[in-house]
Amino acid sequence: METKGLGHSSFEILRKARELERRGKHIIHLHIGEPDFKTPENIIKAAYTAMEEGFTHYTDPQGILDLREAISKYQKIYREREISPDRIVVTPGAKMMILYSLLVTVNPGDEVIYTDPGYMSYRSHILISGGKPVPWKLSPENGFHHDPDDLKKLITDKTKALILNFPHNPTGVTIDEQTLREILKIARENGLYVISDEIYSRILFNGKHFSALSVEDVDDFLFLIDGFSKTYAMTGWRIGYGIVPEKFVQMVVKLQTNTVSCATSFVQKAAIEAIEGPQESVDTMVNAFERRKNIAVNILREAPEISFVEPVGAFYIFPYVGVDSNEFAHYLLDEFGVAVLPGSYFGDQCKRHIRISFANSEKNIEEGVTRIVEALKKFKNR
Ligand SMILES: Cc1ncc(COP(=O)(O)O)c(C=O)c1O
């Protein structure tokens, strides 16, 4: 298989940052795509208990029924939908579910629309599934708005699916209810499958998340993707899920059976605790992200050469810096000890943006973002 076209890896910057640290340099990490919080203790205990009780073997490839029932209840609370546990498939991370959704819907040559900028794995997953990636450009001048008119222009008779992600990585914007309804109407009218990646749905600073699952009559074309990585700081546990149109459930289960067999048994038990246990840790984390966002925004506002859209969710900000972001990210790391990701990692359109992550302390965000502003001035005057 040809792997050359598959996504950029954020590990290049990480590798360099580690190398510099090994040589004694202090680095502020603002590139990280995972919460810096510890997984809540009750979740860790639930995993221990499951292991001690011998829950350490293969499970139902679709996911244990208790967890699918808990996920079903979660949809009722957060997405106001009754979903049968039969339509839920538990996977080792949401990412795997995104790939399965494409593998079961896309035939070679089919076009799949995804956003540019956007989460870097989408394009790779489309390529792996044999599809042709079609970028839907979200314009920074238009606040990275998901403009339904722009979407319409991209649809051809080969378009098979559309990937949405909101709150959005890397911009932190979201999709409002009316726009989402319009997008889903377009998808329905054009016979598209929609893969709605809502992994950041609980990390929202303003308003309430309105899910694609809450729209009427979507069940035959919507794959809802969510997981535990971001909400419960569980990235390394590898656990996520999809709510799958009925006719695809067994196909997805077959893919899972023939690849990873199932999500890790005791992690599934811990995921039940994540959903059913206290939720205060989620609120604490989201409040901390919001405070950090405000710190970053206040510093960036003072820098006339930087423009940005204020994020409403997730834990990133994606400012325009007006210079080649790859070169700048390396300069920033080498000369100022701050690691960020170049916008070029998130598509072809935003090569002059950088992604700053809030997965670091308030002190480090303040220091790191101040250094970014200073570095940009020096970079431009070199
Ligand atoms: C938009 C988006 N979707 C999915 C994922 C992957 O989630 P998981 O850890 O559940 O595979 C990420 C991780 O960064 C993400 O940003």
Side-chain angles (χ1 to χ4, degrees):
M1 188 193 157
E2 176 60 68
T3 56
K4 218 166 60 204
L6 302 190
H8 248 295
S9 153
S10 48
F11 293 115
E12 193 195 325
I13 288 282
L14 182 63
R15 206 180 307 121
K16 186 166 188 180
R18 292 255 157 87
E19 177 54 34
L20 290 169
E21 276 173 331
R22 215 171 299 125
R23 287 195 251 132
K25 189 158 180 169
H26 175 249
I27 303 295
I28 299 180
H29 295 270
L30 301 183
H31 65 281
I32 298 167
E34 58 181 345
D36 52 318
F37 298 88
K38 195 168 176 280
T39 305
E41 208 54 46
N42 59 312
I43 300 175
I44 293 173
K45 284 217 178 87
Y48 276 142
T49 306
M51 277 188 266
E52 271 163 14
E53 288 175 354
F55 199 76
T56 52
H57 299 95
Y58 293 134
T59 71
D60 178 343
Q62 188 169 350
I64 56 175
L65 184 58
D66 290 357
L67 174 55
R68 286 186 286 119
E69 281 173 350
I71 292 169
S72 166
K73 282 187 209 139
Y74 184 94
Q75 307 314 310
K76 183 109 185 74
I77 301 168
Y78 294 102
R79 298 194 169 91
E80 292 164 19
R81 274 297 311 275
E82 295 279 355
I83 296 293
S84 161
D86 295 347
R87 285 186 51 211
I88 296 168
V89 183
V90 177
T91 51
K95 206 180 208 177
M96 202 65 185
M97 188 63 228
I98 299 165
L99 178 60
Y100 291 154
S101 307
L102 289 164
L103 288 172
V104 298
T105 52
V106 172
N107 293 312
D110 284 348
E111 294 175 2
V112 180
I113 298 172
Y114 69 108
T115 65
D116 177 353
Y119 175 49
M120 41 201 138
S121 293
Y122 299 142
R123 189 176 172 280
S124 304
H125 285 185
I126 297 166
L127 291 172
I128 293 169
S129 63
K132 179 176 171 228
V134 177
W136 173 11
K137 293 188 174 166
L138 307 181
S139 145
E141 292 77 26
N142 198 13
F144 297 116
H145 176 57
H146 289 66
D147 190 333
D149 290 331
D150 291 345
L151 169 65
K152 271 189 216 156
K153 289 181 204 144
L154 297 174
I155 297 174
T156 71
D157 53 4
K158 293 216 177 101
T159 313
K160 194 57 162 295
L162 160 68
I163 306 177
L164 298 175
N165 166 224
F166 58 103
H168 184 252
N169 176 9
T171 66
V173 303
T174 196
I175 306 179
D176 62 76
E177 177 175 345
Q178 193 197 333
T179 308
L180 184 63
R181 285 185 181 280
E182 262 183 76
I183 292 171
L184 291 175
K185 185 164 173 274
I186 295 167
R188 186 186 295 113
E189 284 169 359
N190 288 279
L192 312 187
Y193 292 107
V194 173
I195 297 164
S196 187
D197 178 353
E198 301 183 18
I199 191 126
Y200 295 102
S201 57
R202 297 278 296 280
I203 307 178
L204 195 63
F205 313 130
N206 305 341
K208 196 171 170 278
H209 177 76
F210 182 78
S211 169
L213 198 66
S214 306
V215 175
E216 303 72 33
D217 303 328
V218 291
D219 290 0
D220 54 342
F221 67 91
L222 177 71
F223 292 76
L224 187 287
I225 313 286
D226 203 344
F228 299 78
S229 285
K230 315 290 174 172
T231 309
Y232 300 103
M234 290 176 73
T235 47
W237 296 66
R238 309 310 302 129
I239 183 103
Y241 61 88
I243 297 171
V244 177
E246 208 176 316
K247 73 170 182 182
F248 289 111
V249 172
Q250 284 318 311
M251 282 190 228
V252 170
V253 172
K254 219 186 247 182
L255 285 179
Q256 177 131 292
T257 309
N258 286 287
T259 50
V260 295
S261 300
C262 59
T264 304
S265 52
F266 46 86
V267 172
Q268 294 188 57
K269 289 281 193 189
I272 298 176
E273 175 61 24
I275 288 182
E276 293 185 343
Q279 301 294 301
E280 285 79 20
S281 60
V282 183
D283 299 333
T284 306
M285 182 179 76
V286 175
N287 290 338
F289 281 141
E290 184 171 15
R291 280 197 306 276
R292 296 166 181 186
K293 184 261 299 176
N294 290 337
I295 291 170
V297 160
N298 286 337
I299 297 169
L300 294 174
R301 259 199 202 115
E302 299 299 314
E305 61 280 15
I306 295 179
S307 56
F308 61 92
V309 177
E310 184 163 344
V312 294
F315 44 86
Y316 315 108
I317 187 164
F318 197 57
Y320 175 78
V321 288
V323 294
D324 181 293
S325 61
N326 202 35
E327 271 181 43
F328 179 59
H330 282 277
Y331 173 81
L332 184 62
L333 186 53
D334 289 331
E335 305 294 327
F336 285 78
V338 180
V340 298
L341 293 187
S344 53
Y345 284 18
F346 300 91
D348 287 336
Q349 197 200 185
C350 291
K351 291 183 173 158
R352 289 172 176 260
H353 289 66
I354 54 169
R355 191 189 77 172
I356 300 171
S357 156
F358 308 138
N360 210 323
S361 66
E362 291 181 27
K363 184 170 164 284
N364 280 338
I365 299 226
E366 182 164 5
E367 176 63 31
V369 178
T370 304
R371 284 194 208 172
I372 291 171
V373 173
E374 204 185 315
L376 184 61
K377 279 192 201 125
K378 292 227 165 100
F379 185 80
K380 283 185 166 173
N381 292 326
R382 277 177 317 163

